[in-house]
Amino acid sequence: MTTEAAAEANKPAAKDPRALPDVSGLVVGVLGGTGDQGRGLAYRLATAGQRVIVGSRSADRARTAAEELGLGVRGLENAECATESDVVIVAVPWEGHAKTLESLRDELAGKLVIDCVNPLGFDKKGAYAIRPEEGSAAEQAAALLPQSRVAAAFHHLSAVLLQDPQVAQIDTDVMVLGDNREDTDIVQALAARIPGMRGIYAGRLRNAHQVESLVANLISVNRRYKAHAGLRITDV
Amino acid sequence: MTTEAAAEANKPAAKDPRALPDVSGLVVGVLGGTGDQGRGLAYRLATAGQRVIVGSRSADRARTAAEELGLGVRGLENAECATESDVVIVAVPWEGHAKTLESLRDELAGKLVIDCVNPLGFDKKGAYAIRPEEGSAAEQAAALLPQSRVAAAFHHLSAVLLQDPQVAQIDTDVMVLGDNREDTDIVQALAARIPGMRGIYAGRLRNAHQVESLVANLISVNRRYKAHAGLRITDV
């Protein structure tokens, strides 16, 4: 037994990050599902057997993306996508975040909304974090959608790897944030459906800003090392 | 060959995060070296063969900590510690950060200063990020120490694991931030001296805030999973 294994053995049993609810019957909508991140998530979830709807401002673009994805994915205009989904992932560009959510307040009422938007700016020195007035994109979503249950996750995934059918496993953990345990459990379970991925609870929404912003650092990592960096949480 | 290995093989050669300068001759001072984080870092670096000085406001406390650590570690009052070191790690509590650095401006002139301070607040809901006026603790250090070279690193280490002599390897990467390549290379090289650890360049100082704040999330991880969580960056 290594010293680390011995240390492990002396600790109380950790909560198994895979002991999670069955989410296989949930319909997952992806707003901004025609963008790289949204399309990549739709592809991975549909490949895992989830029923997926990609949403877009344009029903035509949504249908085209859905046809390209195959795997039973449907494409609908954003409002219909929200209405027909049990869980809605928000993968729109930060610039359109507030406006899109405001316009879908009624359709998203009562739904679990998973925000994965990274508010970033770019200049000649690279990417930098933008701090929304509400604290984070996720807290902005919570403020704009008082009748929805808002969680945050899926921030650190490489859209390149997600969309590459040659990549069988996504070697990364997903930090899941939210103020309601049942909801974060559902989000963790969705993440865990994708081979290689784990969903790890990582705090309340008030601590979402740094998780969203960390993408600026991963962009620096990618440039320096020519990588598609992801994150693993050790000792869990 | 797996599909991921195939994808790797097609990529241009990544910069090896271990191809770094020889830092074995540098004297490393640790301000706040009597606290848990500072003492843990001093222990690991000294164990790796680095010459280490722990600094404290109290020369007595510094000497006591150094004697407890053994391994040739010396203990000095903060100002002497700064003067006699080539590289100075700032591991003081956030509350004393600005005051300590202001008082050591002259002693730290010309030195490489590695800030590892996490500005956090705590309430009954747990930890939350504090945003310094300058953007981050590291940027505050840079503002207060115009004649020093400031980098940021070593934020996400478990003080418990660092200090546990039963733990042979620290299973985590160290995100290294800074605006000067030579300096971040030195910091990466220092991190790489500790078994299990890699130093990974992760952006400029302006992107330090989210790295410092992420400790609030790791505290949530630790509570939920009874872990001493660290981070690994994948695909590097």
Side-chain angles (χ1 to χ4, degrees), chain A residues 3 127 166 228 230 232 234-235, chain B residues 3 127 166 207 228 230 232 234-235:
Chain A
T3 53
Q166 300 280 84
H228 299 296
R232 281 280 181 212
T234 58
D235 200 37
Chain B
T3 51
Q166 301 280 86
N207 281 318
H228 299 297
R232 282 279 181 213
T234 58
D235 200 37

Side-chain angles (χ1 to χ4, degrees), chain A residues 134-218:
Chain A
E134 298 83 355
S136 60
E139 288 162 288
Q140 182 182 81
L144 294 172
L145 305 172
Q147 298 179 73
S148 303
R149 297 134 54 205
V150 174
F154 300 117
H155 304 90
H156 304 144
L157 305 174
S158 157
V160 173
L161 297 184
L162 286 179
Q163 294 185 93
D164 184 347
Q166 300 280 84
V167 175
Q169 297 226 344
I170 303 294
D171 180 20
T172 194
D173 289 334
V174 170
M175 291 184 161
V176 177
L177 300 117
D179 295 342
N180 180 305
R181 175 68 177 262
E182 270 179 58
D183 294 336
T184 55
D185 278 356
I186 290 171
V187 181
Q188 288 180 245
L190 278 172
R193 296 210 72 196
I194 298 173
M197 228 182 251
R198 298 186 304 173
I200 305 284
Y201 172 76
R204 293 169 184 270
L205 280 196
R206 69 175 183 172
N207 282 317
H209 172 62
Q210 56 265 30
V211 173
E212 296 171 357
S213 307
L214 201 70
V215 174
N217 303 87
L218 295 180

